[in-house]
Amino acid sequence: MTSREAKGIRTLSEDLRLACMRISRRVRFESGDVIAPHQFSVLCRLEHGPLTPRALADVENVSAPSMTRTVGGLVDDGYVTRSEHPDDGRQVLVTITDAGQDVLATTRRRRDMWMVERVTELSADERVTLTEAAQILTKIAAR
Amino acid sequence: MTSREAKGIRTLSEDLRLACMRISRRVRFESGDVIAPHQFSVLCRLEHGPLTPRALADVENVSAPSMTRTVGGLVDDGYVTRSEHPDDGRQVLVTITDAGQDVLATTRRRRDMWMVERVTELSADERVTLTEAAQILTKIAAR
DNA sequence: TATTGTTATACTCTATAACTATA
DNA sequence: TATAGTTATAGAGTATAACAATA
């Protein structure tokens, strides 16, 4: 790799990072979320099956008492339910409700709408470029 | 616009938004920031000149008392200083210090490094695509 | 009288330490 | 003895209401 290419990578990385962070920030502030970020994140984890508070705390990188509180709030709002674990009396299963699935879908729809409004204003060529870029960015986000 | 194109826009928008938000989240969690997000944001605002707490509160969309507290913390950490406004005895000027400029530069360097590591692993073709995409995403973030 | 900044107070989310119940 | 979950308590960051100083 030449030094010119290395400088290009630094510039590209900086431009990409800044754009992604600015877009993310604006989506969070301007899409009219009805639930808090930490609540949304937990509901996403429960989308494809119940989890214990311990598992939720680990995957969300928060303490067990914090997750107790977060789950408590979601229960109060009717977005999840607590039930006994079938095999282990110490554990609890947290399950998303229909209302929880609804708020998840609504939040995503409103967030996507923010981006749709902007992508619609682009040229067809720009959308082709972004379609290729989206695959690469998705790969970056996952690696 | 055909219905097929509309569906493409929705899918593209969703993919782009998710990738941007995931990248943003990982940068924030994995780049080892030494200051809190709200502190970083305020320091950025002060980068090109002093501002009053009132102006900072407005641009950051927080209350005046919250900004009093945030500025107080930055003063305690040595990243900004408070001084009298030359023309208006009610107002205060908040100015970034050299240490504040340093922490800003360090934070950006570490955040960019996260992205450089990933962009380096891509093919030259993929980087060409992302170079075009970065311009479009920057436009989206600004509009 | 309006504006700037701060203080008083309260609510939320976070944490660590201690406690209860179960494995 | 170890683990899961909760409760007790405290530390940040946010807010609104009230206050002092200045325009």
Side-chain angles (χ1 to χ4, degrees):
Chain A
M1 182 183 301
T2 68
S3 122
R4 180 180 162 281
E5 282 168 344
K7 180 168 187 305
I9 287 179
R10 280 201 297 275
T11 303
L12 170 58
S13 300
E14 183 179 345
D15 292 347
L16 269 183
R17 178 186 71 75
L18 272 175
C20 286
M21 294 189 81
R22 285 179 181 150
I23 286 171
S24 177
R25 179 185 173 88
R26 295 194 57 188
V27 166
R28 280 185 289 117
F29 278 79
E30 297 172 19
S31 65
D33 280 5
V34 291
I35 55 173
H38 68 294
Q39 292 180 311
F40 178 77
S41 194
V42 166
L43 285 184
C44 287
R45 304 290 188 178
L46 298 173
E47 195 170 15
H48 302 298
L51 290 173
T52 65
R54 176 72 266 166
L56 285 169
D58 286 344
V59 77
E60 290 291 310
N61 276 300
V62 297
S63 67
S66 288
M67 189 49 67
T68 291
R69 186 181 175 83
T70 297
V71 168
L74 290 170
V75 168
D76 290 345
D77 293 341
Y79 297 144
V80 305
T81 55
R82 271 190 262 238
S83 58
E84 293 176 6
H85 193 288
D87 304 333
D88 187 335
R90 297 170 303 180
Q91 296 188 50
V92 169
L93 283 178
V94 184
T95 306
I96 191 169
T97 64
D98 288 348
Q101 298 278 10
D102 283 351
V103 79
L104 218 43
T106 300
T107 300
R108 286 175 175 146
R109 189 162 48 242
R110 293 163 87 151
R111 288 181 175 187
D112 285 334
M113 197 47 67
W114 186 95
M115 186 67 93
V116 165
E117 285 171 11
R118 281 148 188 85
V119 169
T120 301
E121 294 174 355
L122 301 175
S123 71
D125 277 358
E126 287 174 319
R127 286 198 291 271
V128 169
T129 298
L130 284 189
T131 300
E132 294 172 28
Q135 288 186 291
I136 306 169
L137 290 173
T138 300
K139 191 168 68 174
I140 287 176
R143 144 37 197 146
Chain B
M1 183 183 302
T2 67
S3 121
R4 179 181 162 280
E5 284 168 341
K7 181 170 186 303
I9 287 177
R10 282 199 296 276
T11 303
L12 170 59
S13 301
E14 184 179 344
D15 292 347
L16 270 182
R17 178 187 70 74
L18 272 175
C20 287
M21 293 189 81
R22 284 178 181 151
I23 287 170
S24 176
R25 179 185 173 87
R26 294 194 58 189
V27 166
R28 279 184 291 115
F29 277 80
E30 297 173 19
S31 65
D33 280 5
V34 292
I35 55 172
H38 67 293
Q39 292 180 311
F40 178 78
S41 194
V42 166
L43 286 184
C44 287
R45 305 291 188 180
L46 299 173
E47 195 169 13
H48 301 298
L51 290 173
T52 65
R54 176 72 268 164
L56 286 169
D58 286 344
V59 77
E60 290 292 309
N61 276 298
V62 296
S63 67
S66 288
M67 190 49 67
T68 291
R69 186 182 177 82
T70 296
V71 169
L74 290 170
V75 169
D76 291 345
D77 293 341
Y79 297 144
V80 305
T81 55
R82 272 189 263 238
S83 58
E84 292 176 6
H85 193 289
D87 304 332
D88 187 336
R90 297 170 303 178
Q91 297 188 50
V92 168
L93 283 179
V94 183
T95 305
I96 191 168
T97 64
D98 288 347
Q101 297 279 11
D102 283 350
V103 78
L104 217 43
T106 300
T107 300
R108 285 175 175 145
R109 190 162 47 241
R110 293 164 88 149
R111 288 181 175 186
D112 285 334
M113 198 46 67
W114 186 94
M115 188 66 94
V116 165
E117 285 172 9
R118 280 148 188 85
V119 169
T120 300
E121 294 175 354
L122 300 175
S123 70
D125 277 357
E126 286 174 319
R127 284 199 291 271
V128 168
T129 298
L130 284 190
T131 300
E132 294 172 27
Q135 286 186 292
I136 307 169
L137 290 173
T138 299
K139 190 167 68 175
I140 286 176
R143 148 20 192 146

